[in-house]
Every structure is written in C-alpha cells, then in structure tokens.
Amino acid sequence: MRTVYVNGDYLPETEARISIFDRGFLMADGVYEVTSVLDGKLIDFAGHLARLERSLNELDMKKPAAFDDLLEIHRELVRLNGIADGLVYLQVTRGSDGDRDFVFPDAATTEPTLVLFTQSKPGLADNPAAKKGIRIISIDDIRWGRRDIKTVQLLYPSMGKMMAKKAGCDDAWMVEDGHVTEGTSNNAYIVKGGRIITRHLSNDILHGITRAAVLRFAREAQMEVEERAFTVEEAKSADEAFVTSASAFVMPVVEIDGVPLGTGAPGRVATRLREIYLDESRKAAV
Ligand code: PMP
C-alpha cells in the first residue's frame, strides 16, 4: 500500500482524508504539478515548483509550504514508496471553510489543502510507444481561457482522451480558430524541413516545463526553432511531429487524423530530442 502525504502527515492511502467541502472537490479550485522520477531522482523539480508558484499567484492562493519543504516531501515519498521510476503528483486547493460558497473563503483563516502521492512506473523512460510513435486525432478546443494556469479542471482533456480511444488512437490535439493549441496533456510540435515548430506561449496553452527544456536543448544543438501557431493541415503535411510532457518526455507522433507523417515511423528530430532530453535530465536530476 502506498504512503501518501496530506496536510503535514504521511499516511497509508486508505487513511488519507479530505473534507467534502474542499473547494478542489466542489469547484475544481485547485492546481497541481506532476514531476517525473528516474533512478529515484526528481526531473526538473525547480521548473515544476516555479510553475506551481505562478499558478498559485494567478489564482490568489496561498503557498502551502516553502520550496525546501516541498522538495523534502517529494523525496520522502519517493523513499517511503521505493520509487525508482515513476511520478510524484502534487495538488494544492484553496481548502475548505466548512461550507459551499462561490465566494473565496478568507485566506487568513482557511488553510490550503496540500496532497502528494507517488505513482510507480517501472521502465518509464523505455516506454515502447516511443519506438512506434503515437497516433492522434484533432478535436475542438473548448476549454476555458486560462490554460496557462495548471488547474485540476481536467474533464475536457479527459473526454479528449476518450474520443481518441474511441477512434482507435492514442491521444488528441486540440484546435481553436483553425490552429492547434496543444495535446490533451502535452505540448504539440511539428517538424518541417528540419525546423521545429511549436505554438508560442500565451494564456492559450500550458507553459510546459518539458517544452522549455526541450526547446533549450534543441537550440543548443543548433536546431532551428519557430514558436508560432500551426494548422492541422500544416501538421498533416509535416515531415514529423511529437509531443512533450513531464511523464512522456518527448513522444513521436506518427499519424494525425488517419494521415501518416513522413515514413509513418518516429522521425529523426523527435528521436534525437528524446535522447538528449533523457540524458540531460538524468544528469540534472535531484
Ligand atoms: N499541456 C497540457 C494541457 C498538459 O496537461 C501538460 C502536462 N501536464 C503539458 C502541456 C506538458 O507540461 P509539462 O511538460 O510541464 O508536463
């Protein structure tokens, strides 16, 4: 049985308790982060914590603990649960003042709820899907306008994954005003004539921590990067495509809406970036 963390305590998962009035539960009034673990170490922890702070600031939510304390809790959960490869999930909600009300509770008297748990994923970096590539469909992006805040409102992304599954595919890219925003749980990229194209940062997409690292590594390796919106048509005629996220790293995309890309196998750029990302991230892991 897993040991999880709730508001200061390490507990067996079956003994963890949250109020039914918690605003995370009633209103999706919460934010989260997912940090990968490889060889028992955290990948890009500082990046995830910086984004958590930004998400909390944007929603006027209190920080539940200091950076060093959160690092310690992550490490302790990895240790207690014997995680070699996997994830640490962290969620902060605005907490509960013991009733339901649209108005935010007084932050002076209502403490945020802090929950963390681990997920063991043996062989996370050797995911066989990375050798085959994934197949995606495009769907309308009907999410709210602040996708840069990493909130727990994941119903539509979850529905998007179900639409992909129903279509016999692996995932979905969301499209707004004719342009791809991002994947249901990842950032989206195409490669054309050696150029890597991915949507520019704005409130329309999550500012992926993996995205930032991968673009830095690409530029360091003298690859050309263009940050701009692209259409599904452009993606279908690309040489290759891929997605990035903390848990999938760099994952090649080999088909969009039934159209195979390039040779129909993972592309050279995606494959190389995956190798560089994994090598560099392992070196910098804490
Ligand atoms: N976009 C969305 C909508 C996501 O849910 C995620 C993963 N949480 C990402 C992008 C990728 O972000 P990261 O690289 O920080 O995991």
Side-chain angles (χ1 to χ4, degrees):
M1 190 190 302
R2 262 182 299 198
T3 299
V4 302
Y5 177 94
V6 182
N7 295 331
D9 295 321
Y10 294 91
L11 300 161
E13 63 186 47
T14 49
E15 287 173 28
R17 296 280 181 274
I18 295 289
S19 166
I20 63 157
F21 299 113
D22 193 281
R23 290 180 59 92
F25 177 63
L26 294 180
M27 309 226 168
D29 189 357
V31 299
Y32 75 109
E33 282 297 331
V34 177
T35 306
S36 284
V37 178
L38 291 178
D39 310 317
K41 287 183 164 180
L42 300 160
I43 302 296
D44 218 336
F45 181 76
H48 288 284
L49 257 274
R51 185 173 60 192
L52 175 67
E53 250 178 65
R54 182 176 178 280
S55 293
L56 292 169
N57 278 334
E58 292 298 307
L59 296 176
D60 283 327
M61 273 168 69
K62 268 199 283 191
K63 204 177 160 185
F67 180 98
D68 288 345
D69 296 331
L70 289 172
L71 175 58
E72 187 46 40
I73 299 166
H74 276 73
R75 285 180 164 158
E76 184 64 2
L77 280 183
V78 167
R79 194 185 65 75
L80 288 170
N81 293 297
I83 305 293
D85 295 339
L87 314 170
V88 181
Y89 176 90
L90 169 155
Q91 180 169 331
V92 184
T93 78
R94 204 181 301 275
S96 151
D97 65 354
D99 205 348
R100 179 176 181 272
D101 192 343
F102 281 79
V103 175
F104 291 175
D106 185 353
T109 51
T110 304
E111 287 305 310
T113 299
L114 174 62
V115 168
L116 290 94
F117 57 82
T118 54
Q119 292 182 293
S120 179
K121 307 262 181 197
L124 182 64
D126 304 313
N127 188 343
K131 300 233 160 47
K132 268 179 53 194
I134 60 168
R135 295 159 60 228
I136 60 146
I137 58 168
S138 61
I139 60 174
D140 280 345
D141 195 336
I142 59 166
R143 295 174 300 162
W144 79 324
R146 289 303 305 274
R147 302 154 190 162
D148 57 310
I149 308 173
K150 196 166 169 64
T151 74
V152 295
Q153 303 174 59
L154 296 176
L155 182 53
Y156 188 66
S158 179
M159 289 168 71
K161 293 251 195 224
M162 294 311 294
M163 290 182 233
K165 202 172 161 188
K166 222 173 187 174
C169 290
D170 304 293
D171 207 346
W173 281 7
M174 295 177 281
V175 180
E176 187 174 57
D177 298 332
H179 293 89
V180 173
T181 51
E182 58 190 329
T184 57
S185 62
N186 44 59
N187 289 112
Y189 307 71
I190 57 173
V191 182
K192 187 96 187 184
R195 272 174 105 75
I196 299 163
I197 301 160
T198 192
R199 195 174 175 111
H200 52 285
L201 296 180
S202 72
N203 292 353
D204 297 335
I205 62 169
L206 187 74
H207 302 186
I209 300 307
T210 319
R211 176 189 182 281
V214 164
L215 293 188
R216 189 174 73 243
F217 297 141
R219 286 178 172 125
E220 282 169 9
Q222 315 301 327
M223 298 179 185
E224 274 188 79
V225 176
E226 206 179 324
E227 294 180 67
R228 65 160 173 88
F230 58 86
T231 65
V232 178
E233 286 317 306
E234 199 178 358
K236 285 180 190 165
S237 68
D239 303 325
E240 52 177 294
F242 60 93
V243 295
T244 65
S245 75
S247 52
F249 312 116
V250 178
M251 182 60 67
V253 169
V254 293
E255 189 186 296
I256 300 175
D257 288 337
V259 178
L261 303 183
T263 62
R268 292 217 326 260
V269 171
T271 304
R272 176 143 178 252
L273 280 176
R274 182 178 174 89
E275 282 169 13
I276 299 175
Y277 178 79
L278 284 170
D279 282 353
E280 296 297 325
S281 303
R282 281 183 200 274
K283 276 191 241 165
V286 299

